[in-house]
């Protein structure tokens, strides 16, 4: 149980285009989802927290107009990187948490490369 | 806000040897704590967790960790390491208010045969 999927697992896009990453909880309802970014050989940095039906809460320094997060249902959250640039290339990982729970269940990650 | 330190960036152990990975946290109250493992290019897998109660917690793959409040530590241990344990290990601390997780920098474990 508690499986989280991400799609796509890797994506290459051109500079200036937008890319959408999906995060799904497959066997539980996720009232809260988290988006992290991980640079090579570094730890995970929380980008934003989203609660179903509400606007996402972004961490300091994260541009909310660049990283659009939508949590429209209890099983799906999306991260859209708008007008992507090479410096946005990174490994993006989502996690999901059920109502009343403390554990976060992590997706397998999405490798984004912007050329 | 909470913070977590993993003082060892790399650790190399021989297969069959014991392992201890260090994790120290900073938080004004008792946090909840996790250890995760990440293989290259993969997401995070939960090894074990501590919320309250017994300070020695058992996890998957033969791992255990002990919460020591007096030392603000949550070290991960395994009595006999297998080659398949080579990966990066992250300690994470959560705060009861806000429910955010803060991750340590990670420790890369290498296992030599």
């Amino acid at each position: 149980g508690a499986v989280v999927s991400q799609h796509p697992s890797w994506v290459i896009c051109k500079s200036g285009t937008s890319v959408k990453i999906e995060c799904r909880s497959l066997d539980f309802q996720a009232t809260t989802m988290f988006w992290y970014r991980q640079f090579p050989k570094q730890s995970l940095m929380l980008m934003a927290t989203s609660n179903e039906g509400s606007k996402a809460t972004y961490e300091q320094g994260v541009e909310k107009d660049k990283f659009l997060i939508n949590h429209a249902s209890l099983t799906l959250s999306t991260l859209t990187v708008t007008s992507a640039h090479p410096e946005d290339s990174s490994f993006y990982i989502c996690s999901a948490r059920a109502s009343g729970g403390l554990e976060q269940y992590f997706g397998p990650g999405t490798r984004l490369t912007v050329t | 806000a909470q913070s977590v330190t993993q003082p060892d960036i790399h650790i190399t152990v021989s297969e069959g040897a014991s392992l201890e990975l260090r994790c120290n946290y900073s938080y004004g109250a008792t946090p909840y704590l996790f250890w995760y493992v990440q293989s290259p290019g993969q997401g995070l897998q939960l090894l074990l967790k501590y919320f309250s109660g017994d300070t020695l917690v058992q996890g998957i793959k033969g791992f255990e960790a002990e919460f020591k409040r007096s030392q603000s530590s949550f070290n991960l241990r395994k009595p006999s390491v297998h080659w398949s344990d080579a990966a990066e290990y992250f300690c994470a601390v959560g705060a009861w208010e806000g429910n955010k997780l803060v991750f340590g920098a990670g420790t890369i474990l290498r296992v030599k045969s």
Side-chain angles (χ1 to χ4, degrees):
Chain A
V3 178
V4 177
S5 69
Q6 277 184 246
H7 178 80
S9 55
W10 60 271
V11 58
I12 301 173
C13 70
K14 292 187 176 181
S15 185
T17 62
S18 296
V19 61
K20 180 183 287 187
I21 302 169
E22 292 185 349
C23 176
R24 294 182 184 272
S25 56
L26 300 184
D27 51 4
F28 68 101
Q29 293 187 326
T31 51
T32 306
M33 287 186 169
F34 303 85
W35 287 95
Y36 296 84
R37 185 172 181 178
Q38 186 179 30
F39 289 103
K41 302 186 187 302
Q42 294 189 27
S43 188
L44 283 76
M45 299 299 295
L46 179 65
M47 298 175 66
T49 302
S50 73
N51 291 296
E52 186 265 337
S54 303
K55 288 186 178 180
T57 301
Y58 291 81
E59 295 300 300
Q60 192 172 3
V62 177
E63 299 175 60
K64 60 182 179 182
D65 294 330
K66 181 169 189 58
F67 299 100
L68 301 179
I69 292 171
N70 184 282
H71 191 167
S73 78
L74 286 172
T75 59
L76 174 64
S77 176
T78 60
L79 167 67
T80 301
V81 183
T82 62
S83 187
H85 289 95
E87 57 265 30
D88 299 323
S89 300
S90 190
F91 194 55
Y92 292 88
I93 304 177
C94 74
S95 69
R97 189 177 68 205
S99 175
L102 291 173
E103 280 186 53
Q104 292 183 28
Y105 300 97
F106 284 82
T110 296
R111 172 77 56 196
L112 170 63
T113 301
V114 185
T115 61
Chain B
Q2 70 270 40
S3 65
V4 58
T5 301
Q6 292 180 246
D8 304 304
I9 299 175
H10 296 99
I11 281 187
T12 300
V13 299
S14 297
E15 190 169 15
S18 63
L19 170 70
E20 182 169 32
L21 302 182
R22 296 183 291 165
C23 172
N24 292 95
Y25 69 89
S26 174
Y27 183 57
T30 301
Y32 53 93
L33 298 148
F34 302 94
W35 274 100
Y36 290 91
V37 61
Q38 184 182 36
S39 296
Q42 303 295 314
L44 275 69
Q45 181 181 24
L46 177 66
L47 287 176
L48 46 77
K49 59 194 176 189
Y50 172 79
F51 293 152
S52 65
D54 193 348
T55 56
L56 182 63
V57 293
Q58 303 296 322
I60 62 171
K61 303 184 179 185
F63 286 93
E64 67 176 28
E66 186 170 12
F67 171 63
K68 293 186 176 179
R69 186 193 309 273
S70 61
Q71 298 177 19
S72 297
S73 68
F74 189 57
N75 294 347
L76 181 71
R77 299 193 294 251
K78 186 170 185 178
S80 178
V81 169
H82 188 263
W83 65 266
S84 60
D85 293 324
E88 187 159 18
Y89 292 79
F90 291 96
C91 179
V93 57
W96 295 96
E97 310 83 35
N99 290 322
K100 292 181 186 177
L101 284 186
V102 173
F103 285 82
T107 297
I108 297 173
L109 172 65
R110 298 191 180 108
V111 180
K112 59 181 181 180
S113 56

